[in-house]
Amino acid sequence: MLVAGIDSSTQSCKVVVRDAATGALVRSGRAAHPAGTEVDPAAWWAALQEAVTDAGGLDDVEAVSVGAQQHGMVCLDADGRVVRPALLWNDTRSAQAAADLIRELGDGDEAAGRQAWAEQVGVVPVASFTVTKLRWLADAEPENAARTAAVALPHDWLTWMLAGGPAAGLEALATDRGDASGTGYFNARTNSYLPEVLRRALRRGPDEELPHLPRVLGPAESAGRGSADGPAPGVLLGAGTGDNAAAALGVQARPGDVVVSVGTSGVVSGPSDTAPVDPTGIVAGFADATGRQLPLVCTLNAARVLTATADLLGVDVGRLSDLALEGPSGAGGLVLVPYLEGERTPDRPGATGAVHGLTLSTSTPAHLARAAVEGLLCGLADGIDALVEQGTRVDRVVLVGGGARSEAVRRVAPVVLGRPVVVPPPGESVADGAARQAAWAATGAAEAPEWGDEALDGESVTYDAPEDPAPGRAVRARYAQVRDLTDA
Ligand SMILES: Nc1ncnc2c1ncn2[C@@H]1O[C@H](COP(=O)(O)OP(=O)(O)O)[C@@H](O)[C@H]1O
Ligand SMILES: O=C(CO)[C@@H](O)[C@H](O)COP(=O)(O)O
């Protein structure tokens, strides 16, 4: 039996077709997404179909699940038409809405608001979360807010499109707790939507109707079958989930593993039985795709720090990696603070990047390349510290995402993160997790299938933590000195 997993992430859509029992890769495909932080969902749908075709179609596949970028706001009208282009997780226009929502829940007091959000919702709003985008919509585009009859996330919408889209009706919309927990109006600890939070975000009165929200499915539940005229006719549709929950499922993360993803976003997450309560908002209380919790820290700047630095130096990412490995540990005091798209962790939506410590001796491509790799990893190291503070055990790091293909990232990561780093063979952890969820839905087993070595498309490589932690600590200490000197 074959199953498929789809990853509709920020920059592209990827499809893997795997054997449901062993996880062995049978075929794969991909297609690019448009750039920008506001995207017409029709572009994702077109890319999904192109990627499915590239993967040889889904005719022989029993089940398919969609993993997708979290938080994106997809508003639908009563007929199921998209109301406006989706605002993505990395769109920061709702930063003020986030600040307002925090203060409102604390009756004007920010600290009380943060505590209330952390306790009642499990997250403290930042511009990434859907709830803040809805508040922005209510204020900036009230006519679009009024037309919104349902709110979905990218994976909910794509799964619904596979099921027939508008023809299936808004009631057919489904999600899972992994993705619902990133909305800001779902509590992952109590497994329930928070309609009053949604009402507040949309500024709707007590008697006004709220938009329809997707049904929250269990990890192995099905969202129906693919429509006859779509790319997955008759195929069982898994619940799908957010891309980070899918990645954790894809790498079969075990207790003590922290998954670090260097994709468009930088993510640190670790499956846990305990929901975090973090009023600083650094650790978000998301859910995973197995019924547990997935405390998560996310930065806005990761793999694109590498591509941007490569562009600056006029080289490709392969050469950037070589240069970074030629540069000295600590880059001679040169630090690149990587807030190229503003930042979410720390919460500085208006910040820009900075380079500190330029001298005649550090003004070389190798120093700058090294500083870029170290800067992005220092942000992720701060994230690991925050997870540890929330009680997560960290024995080793599992490094995934496009940036994990960089040899420099792989080699410098154990130094800066201070832990052994396991790099699975280059692949698509999100699409793999979605495929594993599809296999789970198809078999109806109590637990997700255990896939062994056959599911790995090569060898995992472990990069040991250095015996001497001093150089890594020095890199982080120097970064901490200048991190807070940037604007905004
Ligand atoms: N060898 C490499 N070195 C550095 N960056 C890379 C490499 N290969 C891919 N990337 C970067 O990884 C990113 C894509 O990663 P991916 O995890 O697929 O992102 P997303 O899921 O957010 O779309 C792109 O920015 C790409 O340039
Ligand atoms: O906002 C988050 C997590 O909270 C991001 O991780 C998005 O889910 C996008 O992921 P990538 O496209 O970078 O994988």
PDB file of all heavy atoms in Angstrom, residues 7-14 30 33 89 243 261-265 302-307 317-318 320-321 400-407 409 428 430, ligand 1:
ATOM      1  N   ASP A   7       3.975  18.716   1.634  1.00  0.00           N
ATOM      2  CA  ASP A   7       4.438  19.848   2.450  1.00  0.00           C
ATOM      3  C   ASP A   7       4.240  21.123   1.648  1.00  0.00           C
ATOM      4  O   ASP A   7       4.979  21.382   0.698  1.00  0.00           O
ATOM      5  CB  ASP A   7       5.928  19.661   2.789  1.00  0.00           C
ATOM      6  CG  ASP A   7       6.531  20.905   3.442  1.00  0.00           C
ATOM      7  OD1 ASP A   7       5.755  21.786   3.869  1.00  0.00           O
ATOM      8  OD2 ASP A   7       7.772  20.984   3.525  1.00  0.00           O
ATOM      9  N   SER A   8       3.220  21.891   2.028  1.00  0.00           N
ATOM     10  CA  SER A   8       2.991  23.177   1.373  1.00  0.00           C
ATOM     11  C   SER A   8       3.589  24.241   2.284  1.00  0.00           C
ATOM     12  O   SER A   8       2.906  24.804   3.134  1.00  0.00           O
ATOM     13  CB  SER A   8       1.490  23.400   1.166  1.00  0.00           C
ATOM     14  OG  SER A   8       1.254  24.688   0.658  1.00  0.00           O
ATOM     15  N   SER A   9       4.897  24.478   2.130  1.00  0.00           N
ATOM     16  CA  SER A   9       5.589  25.400   3.032  1.00  0.00           C
ATOM     17  C   SER A   9       5.764  26.755   2.378  1.00  0.00           C
ATOM     18  O   SER A   9       5.254  26.996   1.297  1.00  0.00           O
ATOM     19  CB  SER A   9       6.938  24.815   3.443  1.00  0.00           C
ATOM     20  OG  SER A   9       6.734  23.831   4.423  1.00  0.00           O
ATOM     21  N   THR A  10       6.513  27.617   3.022  1.00  0.00           N
ATOM     22  CA  THR A  10       6.589  28.993   2.560  1.00  0.00           C
ATOM     23  C   THR A  10       7.097  29.109   1.125  1.00  0.00           C
ATOM     24  O   THR A  10       6.469  29.767   0.300  1.00  0.00           O
ATOM     25  CB  THR A  10       7.507  29.802   3.492  1.00  0.00           C
ATOM     26  OG1 THR A  10       7.171  29.477   4.848  1.00  0.00           O
ATOM     27  CG2 THR A  10       7.324  31.289   3.277  1.00  0.00           C
ATOM     28  N   GLN A  11       8.193  28.427   0.847  1.00  0.00           N
ATOM     29  CA  GLN A  11       8.824  28.670  -0.450  1.00  0.00           C
ATOM     30  C   GLN A  11       8.430  27.679  -1.541  1.00  0.00           C
ATOM     31  O   GLN A  11       8.668  27.935  -2.709  1.00  0.00           O
ATOM     32  CB  GLN A  11      10.342  28.685  -0.290  1.00  0.00           C
ATOM     33  CG  GLN A  11      10.821  29.817   0.609  1.00  0.00           C
ATOM     34  CD  GLN A  11      12.329  29.988   0.565  1.00  0.00           C
ATOM     35  OE1 GLN A  11      12.909  30.152  -0.500  1.00  0.00           O
ATOM     36  NE2 GLN A  11      12.975  29.964   1.718  1.00  0.00           N
ATOM     37  N   SER A  12       7.889  26.520  -1.144  1.00  0.00           N
ATOM     38  CA  SER A  12       7.598  25.513  -2.170  1.00  0.00           C
ATOM     39  C   SER A  12       6.620  24.469  -1.663  1.00  0.00           C
ATOM     40  O   SER A  12       6.298  24.410  -0.472  1.00  0.00           O
ATOM     41  CB  SER A  12       8.903  24.819  -2.601  1.00  0.00           C
ATOM     42  OG  SER A  12       9.462  24.160  -1.492  1.00  0.00           O
ATOM     43  N   CYS A  13       6.148  23.659  -2.609  1.00  0.00           N
ATOM     44  CA  CYS A  13       5.293  22.520  -2.261  1.00  0.00           C
ATOM     45  C   CYS A  13       6.039  21.246  -2.653  1.00  0.00           C
ATOM     46  O   CYS A  13       6.570  21.150  -3.757  1.00  0.00           O
ATOM     47  CB  CYS A  13       3.973  22.613  -3.030  1.00  0.00           C
ATOM     48  SG  CYS A  13       2.841  21.282  -2.570  1.00  0.00           S
ATOM     49  N   LYS A  14       6.091  20.295  -1.722  1.00  0.00           N
ATOM     50  CA  LYS A  14       6.823  19.049  -1.989  1.00  0.00           C
ATOM     51  C   LYS A  14       5.882  17.871  -1.745  1.00  0.00           C
ATOM     52  O   LYS A  14       5.059  17.914  -0.816  1.00  0.00           O
ATOM     53  CB  LYS A  14       8.029  18.924  -1.060  1.00  0.00           C
ATOM     54  CG  LYS A  14       8.968  20.113  -1.127  1.00  0.00           C
ATOM     55  CD  LYS A  14       9.346  20.593   0.251  1.00  0.00           C
ATOM     56  CE  LYS A  14       9.995  21.940   0.220  1.00  0.00           C
ATOM     57  NZ  LYS A  14      10.317  22.466   1.534  1.00  0.00           N
ATOM     58  N   ARG A  30       7.973  18.307  -6.711  1.00  0.00           N
ATOM     59  CA  ARG A  30       7.942  19.620  -6.062  1.00  0.00           C
ATOM     60  C   ARG A  30       7.553  20.705  -7.038  1.00  0.00           C
ATOM     61  O   ARG A  30       7.596  20.518  -8.253  1.00  0.00           O
ATOM     62  CB  ARG A  30       9.273  19.948  -5.397  1.00  0.00           C
ATOM     63  CG  ARG A  30      10.447  20.076  -6.352  1.00  0.00           C
ATOM     64  CD  ARG A  30      11.755  20.202  -5.580  1.00  0.00           C
ATOM     65  NE  ARG A  30      11.765  21.389  -4.745  1.00  0.00           N
ATOM     66  CZ  ARG A  30      12.244  21.423  -3.494  1.00  0.00           C
ATOM     67  NH1 ARG A  30      12.709  20.358  -2.924  1.00  0.00           N
ATOM     68  NH2 ARG A  30      12.250  22.547  -2.815  1.00  0.00           N
ATOM     69  N   HIS A  33       6.574  28.094  -4.796  1.00  0.00           N
ATOM     70  CA  HIS A  33       5.531  29.039  -4.374  1.00  0.00           C
ATOM     71  C   HIS A  33       5.962  30.453  -4.734  1.00  0.00           C
ATOM     72  O   HIS A  33       7.166  30.731  -4.799  1.00  0.00           O
ATOM     73  CB  HIS A  33       5.312  28.959  -2.860  1.00  0.00           C
ATOM     74  CG  HIS A  33       4.450  27.817  -2.451  1.00  0.00           C
ATOM     75  ND1 HIS A  33       4.395  27.361  -1.155  1.00  0.00           N
ATOM     76  CD2 HIS A  33       3.611  27.026  -3.151  1.00  0.00           C
ATOM     77  CE1 HIS A  33       3.545  26.343  -1.087  1.00  0.00           C
ATOM     78  NE2 HIS A  33       3.067  26.118  -2.287  1.00  0.00           N
ATOM     79  N   TRP A  89       2.512  33.615   7.965  1.00  0.00           N
ATOM     80  CA  TRP A  89       3.117  33.630   9.299  1.00  0.00           C
ATOM     81  C   TRP A  89       4.203  34.695   9.414  1.00  0.00           C
ATOM     82  O   TRP A  89       4.465  35.198  10.496  1.00  0.00           O
ATOM     83  CB  TRP A  89       3.707  32.240   9.598  1.00  0.00           C
ATOM     84  CG  TRP A  89       4.802  31.889   8.643  1.00  0.00           C
ATOM     85  CD1 TRP A  89       4.646  31.391   7.374  1.00  0.00           C
ATOM     86  CD2 TRP A  89       6.216  32.058   8.822  1.00  0.00           C
ATOM     87  NE1 TRP A  89       5.871  31.243   6.772  1.00  0.00           N
ATOM     88  CE2 TRP A  89       6.846  31.635   7.634  1.00  0.00           C
ATOM     89  CE3 TRP A  89       7.009  32.520   9.868  1.00  0.00           C
ATOM     90  CZ2 TRP A  89       8.223  31.665   7.461  1.00  0.00           C
ATOM     91  CZ3 TRP A  89       8.390  32.556   9.703  1.00  0.00           C
ATOM     92  CH2 TRP A  89       8.976  32.126   8.515  1.00  0.00           C
ATOM     93  N   ASP A 243       3.267  22.470   9.596  1.00  0.00           N
ATOM     94  CA  ASP A 243       4.517  21.866   9.106  1.00  0.00           C
ATOM     95  C   ASP A 243       5.459  21.437  10.227  1.00  0.00           C
ATOM     96  O   ASP A 243       6.172  20.438  10.093  1.00  0.00           O
ATOM     97  CB  ASP A 243       5.219  22.755   8.074  1.00  0.00           C
ATOM     98  CG  ASP A 243       5.537  24.170   8.556  1.00  0.00           C
ATOM     99  OD1 ASP A 243       5.234  24.509   9.712  1.00  0.00           O
ATOM    100  OD2 ASP A 243       6.095  24.927   7.743  1.00  0.00           O
ATOM    101  N   SER A 261      14.717  23.227  12.955  1.00  0.00           N
ATOM    102  CA  SER A 261      14.507  23.347  11.519  1.00  0.00           C
ATOM    103  C   SER A 261      15.076  24.668  11.014  1.00  0.00           C
ATOM    104  O   SER A 261      14.742  25.734  11.530  1.00  0.00           O
ATOM    105  CB  SER A 261      13.008  23.269  11.203  1.00  0.00           C
ATOM    106  OG  SER A 261      12.800  23.558   9.835  1.00  0.00           O
ATOM    107  N   VAL A 262      15.946  24.562  10.015  1.00  0.00           N
ATOM    108  CA  VAL A 262      16.476  25.762   9.362  1.00  0.00           C
ATOM    109  C   VAL A 262      15.823  25.831   7.982  1.00  0.00           C
ATOM    110  O   VAL A 262      16.380  25.408   6.980  1.00  0.00           O
ATOM    111  CB  VAL A 262      18.018  25.720   9.276  1.00  0.00           C
ATOM    112  CG1 VAL A 262      18.553  27.012   8.650  1.00  0.00           C
ATOM    113  CG2 VAL A 262      18.628  25.522  10.656  1.00  0.00           C
ATOM    114  N   GLY A 263      14.565  26.272   7.981  1.00  0.00           N
ATOM    115  CA  GLY A 263      13.839  26.486   6.727  1.00  0.00           C
ATOM    116  C   GLY A 263      13.724  27.977   6.511  1.00  0.00           C
ATOM    117  O   GLY A 263      14.635  28.734   6.898  1.00  0.00           O
ATOM    118  N   THR A 264      12.619  28.438   5.911  1.00  0.00           N
ATOM    119  CA  THR A 264      12.415  29.874   5.844  1.00  0.00           C
ATOM    120  C   THR A 264      12.415  30.397   7.279  1.00  0.00           C
ATOM    121  O   THR A 264      13.081  31.376   7.600  1.00  0.00           O
ATOM    122  CB  THR A 264      11.079  30.207   5.154  1.00  0.00           C
ATOM    123  OG1 THR A 264      10.970  29.425   3.978  1.00  0.00           O
ATOM    124  CG2 THR A 264      11.006  31.689   4.805  1.00  0.00           C
ATOM    125  N   SER A 265      11.653  29.712   8.145  1.00  0.00           N
ATOM    126  CA  SER A 265      11.694  30.041   9.574  1.00  0.00           C
ATOM    127  C   SER A 265      12.761  29.196  10.251  1.00  0.00           C
ATOM    128  O   SER A 265      13.138  28.134   9.748  1.00  0.00           O
ATOM    129  CB  SER A 265      10.338  29.750  10.218  1.00  0.00           C
ATOM    130  OG  SER A 265       9.990  28.384  10.044  1.00  0.00           O
ATOM    131  N   ALA A 302      16.011  32.396   8.992  1.00  0.00           N
ATOM    132  CA  ALA A 302      16.868  31.203   9.080  1.00  0.00           C
ATOM    133  C   ALA A 302      17.579  30.974   7.749  1.00  0.00           C
ATOM    134  O   ALA A 302      18.559  31.668   7.454  1.00  0.00           O
ATOM    135  CB  ALA A 302      16.054  30.011   9.535  1.00  0.00           C
ATOM    136  N   ALA A 303      17.068  30.071   6.902  1.00  0.00           N
ATOM    137  CA  ALA A 303      17.829  29.720   5.682  1.00  0.00           C
ATOM    138  C   ALA A 303      18.083  30.937   4.798  1.00  0.00           C
ATOM    139  O   ALA A 303      19.101  31.010   4.113  1.00  0.00           O
ATOM    140  CB  ALA A 303      17.094  28.637   4.904  1.00  0.00           C
ATOM    141  N   ARG A 304      17.156  31.906   4.842  1.00  0.00           N
ATOM    142  CA  ARG A 304      17.354  33.054   3.949  1.00  0.00           C
ATOM    143  C   ARG A 304      18.462  33.996   4.441  1.00  0.00           C
ATOM    144  O   ARG A 304      18.913  34.856   3.695  1.00  0.00           O
ATOM    145  CB  ARG A 304      16.033  33.768   3.701  1.00  0.00           C
ATOM    146  CG  ARG A 304      15.146  32.879   2.796  1.00  0.00           C
ATOM    147  CD  ARG A 304      14.099  33.635   2.062  1.00  0.00           C
ATOM    148  NE  ARG A 304      12.994  33.971   2.925  1.00  0.00           N
ATOM    149  CZ  ARG A 304      11.728  34.095   2.512  1.00  0.00           C
ATOM    150  NH1 ARG A 304      11.416  33.893   1.245  1.00  0.00           N
ATOM    151  NH2 ARG A 304      10.778  34.414   3.356  1.00  0.00           N
ATOM    152  N   VAL A 305      18.883  33.813   5.698  1.00  0.00           N
ATOM    153  CA  VAL A 305      20.073  34.544   6.155  1.00  0.00           C
ATOM    154  C   VAL A 305      21.280  34.048   5.345  1.00  0.00           C
ATOM    155  O   VAL A 305      22.168  34.831   4.969  1.00  0.00           O
ATOM    156  CB  VAL A 305      20.303  34.299   7.669  1.00  0.00           C
ATOM    157  CG1 VAL A 305      21.595  34.955   8.132  1.00  0.00           C
ATOM    158  CG2 VAL A 305      19.107  34.798   8.472  1.00  0.00           C
ATOM    159  N   LEU A 306      21.280  32.740   5.070  1.00  0.00           N
ATOM    160  CA  LEU A 306      22.389  32.174   4.292  1.00  0.00           C
ATOM    161  C   LEU A 306      22.325  32.643   2.845  1.00  0.00           C
ATOM    162  O   LEU A 306      23.334  33.057   2.273  1.00  0.00           O
ATOM    163  CB  LEU A 306      22.339  30.641   4.353  1.00  0.00           C
ATOM    164  CG  LEU A 306      22.365  30.031   5.755  1.00  0.00           C
ATOM    165  CD1 LEU A 306      22.204  28.521   5.694  1.00  0.00           C
ATOM    166  CD2 LEU A 306      23.669  30.395   6.469  1.00  0.00           C
ATOM    167  N   THR A 307      21.122  32.595   2.255  1.00  0.00           N
ATOM    168  CA  THR A 307      21.036  32.999   0.841  1.00  0.00           C
ATOM    169  C   THR A 307      21.311  34.500   0.706  1.00  0.00           C
ATOM    170  O   THR A 307      21.958  34.925  -0.244  1.00  0.00           O
ATOM    171  CB  THR A 307      19.665  32.639   0.235  1.00  0.00           C
ATOM    172  OG1 THR A 307      18.633  33.029   1.126  1.00  0.00           O
ATOM    173  CG2 THR A 307      19.536  31.155  -0.032  1.00  0.00           C
ATOM    174  N   VAL A 317      25.238  29.143  -2.174  1.00  0.00           N
ATOM    175  CA  VAL A 317      25.236  28.702  -0.768  1.00  0.00           C
ATOM    176  C   VAL A 317      26.311  27.650  -0.492  1.00  0.00           C
ATOM    177  O   VAL A 317      26.798  27.534   0.637  1.00  0.00           O
ATOM    178  CB  VAL A 317      23.842  28.199  -0.303  1.00  0.00           C
ATOM    179  CG1 VAL A 317      22.889  29.356  -0.087  1.00  0.00           C
ATOM    180  CG2 VAL A 317      23.271  27.153  -1.240  1.00  0.00           C
ATOM    181  N   GLY A 318      26.709  26.911  -1.517  1.00  0.00           N
ATOM    182  CA  GLY A 318      27.785  25.924  -1.337  1.00  0.00           C
ATOM    183  C   GLY A 318      29.104  26.630  -1.017  1.00  0.00           C
ATOM    184  O   GLY A 318      29.828  26.257  -0.084  1.00  0.00           O
ATOM    185  N   LEU A 320      29.341  29.649   0.133  1.00  0.00           N
ATOM    186  CA  LEU A 320      29.181  30.327   1.432  1.00  0.00           C
ATOM    187  C   LEU A 320      29.573  29.384   2.563  1.00  0.00           C
ATOM    188  O   LEU A 320      30.247  29.767   3.523  1.00  0.00           O
ATOM    189  CB  LEU A 320      27.728  30.788   1.622  1.00  0.00           C
ATOM    190  CG  LEU A 320      27.509  31.558   2.922  1.00  0.00           C
ATOM    191  CD1 LEU A 320      27.821  33.038   2.738  1.00  0.00           C
ATOM    192  CD2 LEU A 320      26.098  31.379   3.445  1.00  0.00           C
ATOM    193  N   SER A 321      29.146  28.128   2.426  1.00  0.00           N
ATOM    194  CA  SER A 321      29.468  27.134   3.451  1.00  0.00           C
ATOM    195  C   SER A 321      30.983  26.951   3.550  1.00  0.00           C
ATOM    196  O   SER A 321      31.553  26.952   4.651  1.00  0.00           O
ATOM    197  CB  SER A 321      28.765  25.816   3.095  1.00  0.00           C
ATOM    198  OG  SER A 321      29.184  24.801   3.950  1.00  0.00           O
ATOM    199  N   VAL A 400      16.906  19.683  10.688  1.00  0.00           N
ATOM    200  CA  VAL A 400      16.180  19.476   9.420  1.00  0.00           C
ATOM    201  C   VAL A 400      15.991  20.822   8.707  1.00  0.00           C
ATOM    202  O   VAL A 400      16.410  21.855   9.190  1.00  0.00           O
ATOM    203  CB  VAL A 400      14.791  18.810   9.680  1.00  0.00           C
ATOM    204  CG1 VAL A 400      14.963  17.439  10.318  1.00  0.00           C
ATOM    205  CG2 VAL A 400      13.900  19.704  10.545  1.00  0.00           C
ATOM    206  N   GLY A 401      15.296  20.771   7.560  1.00  0.00           N
ATOM    207  CA  GLY A 401      15.020  21.991   6.795  1.00  0.00           C
ATOM    208  C   GLY A 401      16.106  22.200   5.739  1.00  0.00           C
ATOM    209  O   GLY A 401      17.200  21.619   5.819  1.00  0.00           O
ATOM    210  N   GLY A 402      15.796  23.054   4.768  1.00  0.00           N
ATOM    211  CA  GLY A 402      16.721  23.262   3.647  1.00  0.00           C
ATOM    212  C   GLY A 402      18.108  23.696   4.089  1.00  0.00           C
ATOM    213  O   GLY A 402      19.117  23.278   3.508  1.00  0.00           O
ATOM    214  N   GLY A 403      18.189  24.529   5.145  1.00  0.00           N
ATOM    215  CA  GLY A 403      19.491  25.036   5.599  1.00  0.00           C
ATOM    216  C   GLY A 403      20.368  23.955   6.201  1.00  0.00           C
ATOM    217  O   GLY A 403      21.591  24.132   6.318  1.00  0.00           O
ATOM    218  N   ALA A 404      19.746  22.810   6.583  1.00  0.00           N
ATOM    219  CA  ALA A 404      20.531  21.708   7.155  1.00  0.00           C
ATOM    220  C   ALA A 404      21.390  21.045   6.079  1.00  0.00           C
ATOM    221  O   ALA A 404      22.232  20.204   6.377  1.00  0.00           O
ATOM    222  CB  ALA A 404      19.604  20.679   7.801  1.00  0.00           C
ATOM    223  N   ARG A 405      21.165  21.424   4.806  1.00  0.00           N
ATOM    224  CA  ARG A 405      22.034  20.889   3.735  1.00  0.00           C
ATOM    225  C   ARG A 405      23.387  21.571   3.734  1.00  0.00           C
ATOM    226  O   ARG A 405      24.315  21.115   3.064  1.00  0.00           O
ATOM    227  CB  ARG A 405      21.354  21.087   2.377  1.00  0.00           C
ATOM    228  CG  ARG A 405      20.105  20.236   2.234  1.00  0.00           C
ATOM    229  CD  ARG A 405      19.355  20.539   0.946  1.00  0.00           C
ATOM    230  NE  ARG A 405      18.010  20.000   1.017  1.00  0.00           N
ATOM    231  CZ  ARG A 405      17.581  18.943   0.325  1.00  0.00           C
ATOM    232  NH1 ARG A 405      18.374  18.337  -0.494  1.00  0.00           N
ATOM    233  NH2 ARG A 405      16.343  18.506   0.478  1.00  0.00           N
ATOM    234  N   SER A 406      23.502  22.683   4.446  1.00  0.00           N
ATOM    235  CA  SER A 406      24.766  23.428   4.481  1.00  0.00           C
ATOM    236  C   SER A 406      25.733  22.738   5.449  1.00  0.00           C
ATOM    237  O   SER A 406      25.438  22.572   6.633  1.00  0.00           O
ATOM    238  CB  SER A 406      24.484  24.864   4.953  1.00  0.00           C
ATOM    239  OG  SER A 406      25.650  25.420   5.498  1.00  0.00           O
ATOM    240  N   GLU A 407      26.913  22.360   4.920  1.00  0.00           N
ATOM    241  CA  GLU A 407      27.917  21.691   5.759  1.00  0.00           C
ATOM    242  C   GLU A 407      28.358  22.606   6.907  1.00  0.00           C
ATOM    243  O   GLU A 407      28.617  22.155   8.017  1.00  0.00           O
ATOM    244  CB  GLU A 407      29.114  21.282   4.884  1.00  0.00           C
ATOM    245  CG  GLU A 407      30.110  20.362   5.555  1.00  0.00           C
ATOM    246  CD  GLU A 407      29.531  19.027   6.015  1.00  0.00           C
ATOM    247  OE1 GLU A 407      28.475  18.601   5.505  1.00  0.00           O
ATOM    248  OE2 GLU A 407      30.121  18.430   6.932  1.00  0.00           O
ATOM    249  N   VAL A 409      26.511  24.861   8.463  1.00  0.00           N
ATOM    250  CA  VAL A 409      25.476  24.839   9.503  1.00  0.00           C
ATOM    251  C   VAL A 409      25.606  23.557  10.320  1.00  0.00           C
ATOM    252  O   VAL A 409      25.573  23.569  11.556  1.00  0.00           O
ATOM    253  CB  VAL A 409      24.066  24.975   8.876  1.00  0.00           C
ATOM    254  CG1 VAL A 409      22.984  24.717   9.910  1.00  0.00           C
ATOM    255  CG2 VAL A 409      23.892  26.362   8.256  1.00  0.00           C
ATOM    256  N   GLU A 428      12.717  15.416   3.036  1.00  0.00           N
ATOM    257  CA  GLU A 428      11.600  16.320   3.289  1.00  0.00           C
ATOM    258  C   GLU A 428      10.883  15.879   4.556  1.00  0.00           C
ATOM    259  O   GLU A 428       9.915  15.124   4.495  1.00  0.00           O
ATOM    260  CB  GLU A 428      10.656  16.334   2.083  1.00  0.00           C
ATOM    261  CG  GLU A 428      11.302  16.813   0.799  1.00  0.00           C
ATOM    262  CD  GLU A 428      11.865  18.233   0.915  1.00  0.00           C
ATOM    263  OE1 GLU A 428      11.448  18.974   1.819  1.00  0.00           O
ATOM    264  OE2 GLU A 428      12.741  18.588   0.108  1.00  0.00           O
ATOM    265  N   VAL A 430       8.890  17.325   6.609  1.00  0.00           N
ATOM    266  CA  VAL A 430       7.468  17.698   6.762  1.00  0.00           C
ATOM    267  C   VAL A 430       6.594  16.786   5.900  1.00  0.00           C
ATOM    268  O   VAL A 430       5.599  16.206   6.375  1.00  0.00           O
ATOM    269  CB  VAL A 430       7.253  19.178   6.376  1.00  0.00           C
ATOM    270  CG1 VAL A 430       5.781  19.536   6.439  1.00  0.00           C
ATOM    271  CG2 VAL A 430       8.076  20.093   7.284  1.00  0.00           C
TER     272      VAL A 430
HETATM  273  N1  LIG B   1      22.807  23.681   0.696  1.00  0.00           N
HETATM  274  C1  LIG B   1      22.101  24.690   1.205  1.00  0.00           C
HETATM  275  N2  LIG B   1      22.717  25.607   1.970  1.00  0.00           N
HETATM  276  C2  LIG B   1      22.020  26.636   2.509  1.00  0.00           C
HETATM  277  N3  LIG B   1      20.704  26.833   2.318  1.00  0.00           N
HETATM  278  C3  LIG B   1      20.041  25.958   1.557  1.00  0.00           C
HETATM  279  C4  LIG B   1      20.697  24.840   0.963  1.00  0.00           C
HETATM  280  N4  LIG B   1      19.753  24.125   0.282  1.00  0.00           N
HETATM  281  C5  LIG B   1      18.594  24.790   0.444  1.00  0.00           C
HETATM  282  N5  LIG B   1      18.749  25.886   1.198  1.00  0.00           N
HETATM  283  C6  LIG B   1      17.749  26.891   1.569  1.00  0.00           C
HETATM  284  O1  LIG B   1      16.712  26.288   2.295  1.00  0.00           O
HETATM  285  C7  LIG B   1      15.508  27.043   2.106  1.00  0.00           C
HETATM  286  C8  LIG B   1      14.373  26.092   1.832  1.00  0.00           C
HETATM  287  O2  LIG B   1      14.236  25.256   2.935  1.00  0.00           O
HETATM  288  P1  LIG B   1      12.851  24.574   3.273  1.00  0.00           P
HETATM  289  O3  LIG B   1      13.019  23.855   4.572  1.00  0.00           O
HETATM  290  O4  LIG B   1      12.419  23.776   2.097  1.00  0.00           O
HETATM  291  O5  LIG B   1      11.954  25.889   3.442  1.00  0.00           O
HETATM  292  P2  LIG B   1      10.393  26.055   3.596  1.00  0.00           P
HETATM  293  O6  LIG B   1       9.905  24.742   4.127  1.00  0.00           O
HETATM  294  O7  LIG B   1      10.284  27.162   4.580  1.00  0.00           O
HETATM  295  O8  LIG B   1       9.828  26.432   2.271  1.00  0.00           O
HETATM  296  C9  LIG B   1      15.754  27.995   0.943  1.00  0.00           C
HETATM  297  O9  LIG B   1      15.927  29.307   1.457  1.00  0.00           O
HETATM  298  C10 LIG B   1      17.059  27.476   0.342  1.00  0.00           C
HETATM  299  O10 LIG B   1      17.829  28.500  -0.245  1.00  0.00           O
END
